[in-house]
Amino acid sequence: MSPSSGTALDGLIEAVRALIPDAGIVHLSSDTIAPGPGSYLLLLQLQAPLSVQIAKREIGLPAGLYVYSGSARGPGGLKARLGRHLRGNGRPRWHVDQITTCAASRAGLSFRSFTECDLISKLLESSDFSVPIRGFGSSDCNVCPAHLIQFRACPEN
Protein backbone atom coordinates (compact mmCIF):
# COMPACT_ATOMS: atom_id res chain seq x y z
CA MET A 1 0.00 0.00 0.00
CA SER A 2 1.43 3.36 -0.94
CA PRO A 3 0.71 6.67 0.69
CA SER A 4 -2.29 8.62 -0.52
CA SER A 5 -1.90 11.99 -2.11
CA GLY A 6 -4.26 13.52 0.45
CA THR A 7 -6.22 15.19 -2.37
CA ALA A 8 -9.16 14.56 -4.66
CA LEU A 9 -6.73 12.42 -6.67
CA ASP A 10 -7.08 9.58 -4.15
CA GLY A 11 -10.22 8.22 -5.85
CA LEU A 12 -8.47 8.39 -9.21
CA ILE A 13 -5.44 6.57 -7.79
CA GLU A 14 -7.75 3.78 -6.55
CA ALA A 15 -9.44 3.53 -9.97
CA VAL A 16 -6.07 3.30 -11.74
CA ARG A 17 -4.82 0.64 -9.30
CA ALA A 18 -7.99 -1.41 -9.88
CA LEU A 19 -7.24 -1.48 -13.62
CA ILE A 20 -3.44 -1.73 -13.38
CA PRO A 21 -2.79 -3.73 -10.18
CA ASP A 22 1.00 -3.61 -10.54
CA ALA A 23 1.06 0.18 -10.34
CA GLY A 24 3.81 1.00 -7.89
CA ILE A 25 4.51 3.94 -5.63
CA VAL A 26 2.47 7.11 -5.91
CA HIS A 27 4.98 9.85 -6.64
CA LEU A 28 4.25 13.35 -5.34
CA SER A 29 7.75 14.64 -6.13
CA SER A 30 10.83 13.42 -7.96
CA ASP A 31 12.36 12.26 -4.64
CA THR A 32 10.72 8.81 -4.89
CA ILE A 33 11.25 8.24 -8.63
CA ALA A 34 14.02 5.85 -9.64
CA PRO A 35 16.19 7.01 -12.55
CA GLY A 36 16.10 5.16 -15.85
CA PRO A 37 13.74 4.77 -18.77
CA GLY A 38 10.06 3.87 -18.58
CA SER A 39 6.50 5.07 -18.94
CA TYR A 40 4.35 7.01 -16.54
CA LEU A 41 0.86 8.14 -15.68
CA LEU A 42 0.48 11.72 -14.56
CA LEU A 43 -2.69 12.27 -12.51
CA LEU A 44 -4.05 15.81 -12.54
CA GLN A 45 -6.87 17.70 -10.85
CA LEU A 46 -8.30 20.80 -12.50
CA GLN A 47 -10.49 22.77 -10.11
CA ALA A 48 -11.68 25.16 -12.81
CA PRO A 49 -12.27 24.87 -16.56
CA LEU A 50 -9.18 25.44 -18.67
CA SER A 51 -8.64 26.44 -22.30
CA VAL A 52 -5.73 24.70 -24.00
CA GLN A 53 -4.14 25.56 -27.34
CA ILE A 54 -3.76 22.62 -29.74
CA ALA A 55 -2.64 23.22 -33.33
CA LYS A 56 -3.80 26.85 -33.24
CA ARG A 57 -7.22 25.79 -31.88
CA GLU A 58 -8.43 26.70 -28.44
CA ILE A 59 -10.23 23.81 -26.75
CA GLY A 60 -11.92 23.83 -23.37
CA LEU A 61 -11.36 21.23 -20.68
CA PRO A 62 -13.93 21.11 -17.87
CA ALA A 63 -12.86 20.97 -14.24
CA GLY A 64 -12.19 17.39 -13.19
CA LEU A 65 -9.63 14.62 -12.91
CA TYR A 66 -7.33 13.68 -15.77
CA VAL A 67 -4.65 11.12 -16.59
CA TYR A 68 -1.83 11.76 -19.01
CA SER A 69 0.36 8.90 -20.20
CA GLY A 70 3.89 9.55 -21.33
CA SER A 71 7.28 7.95 -21.77
CA ALA A 72 10.73 8.93 -20.63
CA ARG A 73 13.45 7.25 -22.60
CA GLY A 74 15.94 10.11 -22.93
CA PRO A 75 18.52 11.63 -20.59
CA GLY A 76 17.34 11.66 -16.98
CA GLY A 77 14.60 9.12 -17.71
CA LEU A 78 11.55 8.92 -15.48
CA LYS A 79 13.06 10.92 -12.63
CA ALA A 80 13.65 13.95 -14.86
CA ARG A 81 10.49 13.81 -16.99
CA LEU A 82 7.90 12.82 -14.40
CA GLY A 83 9.62 15.04 -11.82
CA ARG A 84 9.28 18.01 -14.18
CA HIS A 85 5.57 17.35 -14.63
CA LEU A 86 5.04 16.96 -10.89
CA ARG A 87 6.70 20.32 -10.23
CA GLY A 88 4.39 21.91 -12.82
CA ASN A 89 6.89 24.58 -13.78
CA GLY A 90 9.49 25.20 -16.43
CA ARG A 91 9.29 26.44 -19.97
CA PRO A 92 6.35 24.80 -21.81
CA ARG A 93 7.54 22.03 -24.14
CA TRP A 94 4.60 19.64 -24.44
CA HIS A 95 0.83 20.06 -24.70
CA VAL A 96 0.39 18.64 -21.21
CA ASP A 97 2.44 21.51 -19.76
CA GLN A 98 -0.61 23.73 -20.29
CA ILE A 99 -2.45 21.55 -17.79
CA THR A 100 0.31 20.83 -15.27
CA THR A 101 0.92 24.53 -14.66
CA CYS A 102 -2.77 25.01 -13.74
CA ALA A 103 -3.43 21.75 -11.91
CA ALA A 104 -4.48 22.03 -8.25
CA SER A 105 -3.01 18.57 -7.52
CA ARG A 106 -0.53 16.31 -9.30
CA ALA A 107 0.65 12.75 -8.67
CA GLY A 108 2.45 10.19 -10.79
CA LEU A 109 2.94 6.47 -11.22
CA SER A 110 5.97 5.06 -13.03
CA PHE A 111 6.23 1.80 -14.99
CA ARG A 112 9.07 -0.20 -16.49
CA SER A 113 7.00 -3.02 -18.02
CA PHE A 114 4.29 -1.07 -19.90
CA THR A 115 4.40 1.40 -22.76
CA GLU A 116 2.40 4.62 -22.57
CA CYS A 117 -0.03 3.11 -25.10
CA ASP A 118 -0.44 -0.05 -22.96
CA LEU A 119 -1.37 2.15 -20.00
CA ILE A 120 -3.94 4.21 -21.91
CA SER A 121 -5.44 1.05 -23.41
CA LYS A 122 -5.86 -0.54 -19.96
CA LEU A 123 -7.59 2.56 -18.59
CA LEU A 124 -9.85 3.06 -21.61
CA GLU A 125 -11.13 -0.51 -21.19
CA SER A 126 -13.11 0.92 -18.27
CA SER A 127 -16.17 3.09 -18.79
CA ASP A 128 -14.77 5.32 -16.02
CA PHE A 129 -12.44 7.00 -18.53
CA SER A 130 -13.10 9.00 -21.69
CA VAL A 131 -11.12 11.00 -24.26
CA PRO A 132 -11.75 14.74 -23.84
CA ILE A 133 -9.56 15.91 -26.76
CA ARG A 134 -8.86 13.50 -29.57
CA GLY A 135 -5.13 13.33 -30.33
CA PHE A 136 -4.02 15.26 -27.23
CA GLY A 137 -0.48 14.21 -26.31
CA SER A 138 -0.42 11.47 -28.95
CA SER A 139 0.49 13.28 -32.15
CA ASP A 140 3.24 10.72 -32.80
CA CYS A 141 1.01 7.70 -31.96
CA ASN A 142 -1.04 5.80 -34.53
CA VAL A 143 -2.72 3.53 -31.95
CA CYS A 144 -4.29 5.63 -29.18
CA PRO A 145 -7.14 8.10 -29.54
CA ALA A 146 -5.23 10.38 -27.11
CA HIS A 147 -2.73 10.19 -24.28
CA LEU A 148 -4.87 12.46 -22.09
CA ILE A 149 -8.03 10.93 -20.68
CA GLN A 150 -10.62 12.14 -18.21
CA PHE A 151 -11.88 10.24 -15.17
CA ARG A 152 -15.68 10.30 -15.48
CA ALA A 153 -16.48 9.19 -11.95
CA CYS A 154 -14.96 12.27 -10.33
CA PRO A 155 -16.63 13.85 -7.32
CA GLU A 156 -17.81 17.45 -7.44
CA ASN A 157 -15.16 19.83 -6.09
Side-chain angles (χ1 to χ4, degrees):
M1 184 94 171
S2 64
S4 74
S5 66
T7 68
L9 292 178
D10 290 340
L12 176 54
I13 292 166
E14 288 178 29
V16 168
R17 286 185 181 287
L19 296 167
I20 309 171
D22 36 346
I25 296 173
V26 175
H27 305 291
L28 302 178
S29 74
S30 62
D31 297 343
T32 59
I33 305 170
S39 299
Y40 61 89
L41 292 176
L42 178 64
L43 314 178
L44 302 159
Q45 177 193 15
L46 286 179
Q47 288 185 320
L50 176 67
S51 290
V52 294
Q53 190 82 21
I54 308 294
K56 298 183 183 177
R57 292 184 353 222
E58 194 149 314
I59 301 171
L61 285 175
L65 300 175
Y66 294 86
V67 178
Y68 174 78
S69 181
S71 63
R73 310 243 180 262
L78 286 165
K79 188 170 186 75
R81 177 72 56 86
L82 184 53
R84 179 187 193 282
H85 290 319
L86 291 173
R87 285 188 302 277
N89 60 10
R91 195 179 88 232
R93 295 183 62 178
W94 299 282
H95 287 137
V96 73
D97 291 337
Q98 297 174 75
I99 302 171
T100 58
T101 57
C102 298
S105 303
R106 294 177 286 282
L109 296 163
S110 56
F111 302 86
R112 305 273 183 211
S113 58
F114 295 112
T115 68
E116 60 194 304
C117 296
D118 293 337
L119 296 169
I120 285 295
S121 177
K122 286 180 177 295
L123 296 178
L124 285 175
E125 288 174 3
S126 165
S127 61
D128 288 340
F129 293 91
S130 64
V131 175
I133 302 173
R134 192 153 185 80
F136 188 101
S138 62
S139 57
D140 59 349
C141 175
N142 297 325
V143 178
C144 302
H147 284 186
L148 176 76
I149 56 178
Q150 185 175 15
F151 185 48
R152 292 183 188 194
C154 63
E156 290 294 320
N157 295 321

